[in-house]
Each structure stands twice: as structure tokens, then as C-alpha cells.
Amino acid sequence: MHDRTSRRADMTRFPQGKRRGVRSLAALGAMMGMLGLLAGHPLSAAASAAESVAVRDPSPVLGQWVTRERDGVFEIRACGGELCGRLVGMSYTGEIPKAKDGTSECGLLMLTGFVPDPDDAGRWNGHILDPDSGKVYQAQIWSPRDGVLKLRGYVGIPLFGETHTWTRYDGAIGARCLMQ
């Protein structure tokens, strides 16, 4: 694994043939780890107390989304009373990428526990997993317009984070999660 703590959070250059976007989520995680230490928030900070909220239509954020670097596809769907997302497609060469625990990243549950934000009707609050470090960070997702998804990972408060823009995926996914 690469040590990303010394990289700028927006750096996405990797050796040719490697995945970029899914790895930039790892860089995002490293940046959040540093911000959490600066802000005095523990990295495992729990979400605020559960509040009773009206049922909200999740359809704008459901479906398959390709990362900004177009090298990973996430499928967001209902998981019980919450929303979750799995990595279902990747662009890679050679062996299928592995998570920190050595298992395939294909099908890895990386977005968990998303519930409606009680203060913003269009946003969902939950968590995102950094597959390289195994750390989990707070996150928000929302769709500002059709075909666009915003994902903001952060530590403590959304101010201490970074937003990625994903677009709806309309391609195919082949064997071993390989994007086609």
C-alpha cells in the first residue's frame, strides 16, 4: 500500500494501468484522518443522535454511479431502512484489486448507514469506508440534478471534508467487476 498521508488530497496521478478514482477515495480518507487530528475529533466519531424524520424518496440517489475518474462504479440501494453502496465495477489491469483485509474489492460495502438529513431535504448522512486503511468516515450524498451525485466525506463536521462528483453509469460490468 502507498502512504498517502503526504500527498495532496486532490492528487490522482498513479502509475499507468492502476485505478485512480477509487484510490482517490483512499487519499480522501488519509486527508480526513489528518483533519480529524487537527480538529480534535476522533476518527470513529459517531453520527449525531438518531432523530425521527419523515420518510423521504431516495430515488434521485439510487442506482449505479461512476466515480469522477471513471474507474469505479458504485451501486446505491435501499438496505433495510437506510441506503448503502457497494463497489460493483472497476477499471484495472492484472489482478483484481484487494481491500486491506486481502479480500477482493469487488462487491465491497463502502457506503453504509445513509439516512435522511433532518436539516436538508435533499441530503443523506452516513459513512464511507477507505478500503486501503480500513477507516470509516462520515459522509453525505445528494443529487443536485438528474444524473449527478455528490459525495462528501468528512471528519466531525462537513466543513472538514472533500466533495466528489459522480455521474450516473450507463455502461456494462463484466466478469470480476471489470468495467466495459
Side-chain angles (χ1 to χ4, degrees):
M1 296 293 146
H2 298 287
D3 177 88
R4 289 179 174 74
T5 58
S6 62
R7 293 181 183 213
R8 288 186 9 214
D10 62 343
M11 180 181 249
T12 57
R13 289 191 176 162
F14 289 86
Q16 189 151 356
K18 300 285 185 177
R19 299 176 306 117
R20 290 185 194 104
V22 177
R23 290 289 177 227
S24 72
L25 290 177
L28 172 63
M31 180 205 65
M32 284 185 247
M34 290 184 291
L35 286 173
L37 295 175
L38 293 173
H41 295 283
L43 296 179
S44 62
S48 60
E51 296 181 31
S52 174
V53 294
V55 175
R56 189 172 305 154
D57 178 17
S59 59
V61 299
L62 297 179
Q64 291 186 339
W65 301 93
V66 64
T67 61
R68 67 181 177 187
E69 291 82 7
R70 305 202 54 80
D71 68 344
V73 175
F74 286 82
E75 183 172 12
I76 298 176
R77 62 183 182 173
C79 296
E82 305 172 337
L83 300 182
C84 66
R86 291 186 184 276
L87 181 61
V88 296
M90 298 177 279
S91 177
Y92 61 92
T93 57
E95 291 298 313
I96 192 165
K98 306 273 188 217
K100 182 179 181 184
D101 65 3
T103 61
S104 168
E105 286 185 5
C106 180
L108 186 63
L109 184 64
M110 292 178 63
L111 305 171
T112 58
F114 281 87
V115 295
D117 183 314
D119 299 322
D120 190 333
R123 293 187 187 232
W124 295 77
N125 299 322
H127 300 93
I128 185 168
L129 168 71
D130 173 350
D132 288 339
S133 71
K135 293 181 179 166
V136 177
Y137 299 96
Q138 292 171 289
Q140 290 182 331
I141 56 173
W142 69 97
S143 180
R145 64 184 179 278
D146 191 37
V148 175
L149 180 83
K150 299 282 188 171
L151 173 117
R152 182 164 188 83
Y154 62 94
V155 174
I157 60 173
L159 175 66
F160 298 118
E162 180 180 333
T163 301
H164 287 225
T165 301
W166 294 353
T167 54
R168 198 162 291 279
Y169 184 66
D170 58 5
I173 299 171
R176 297 176 12 136
C177 288
L178 190 59
M179 294 171 57
Q180 299 177 345

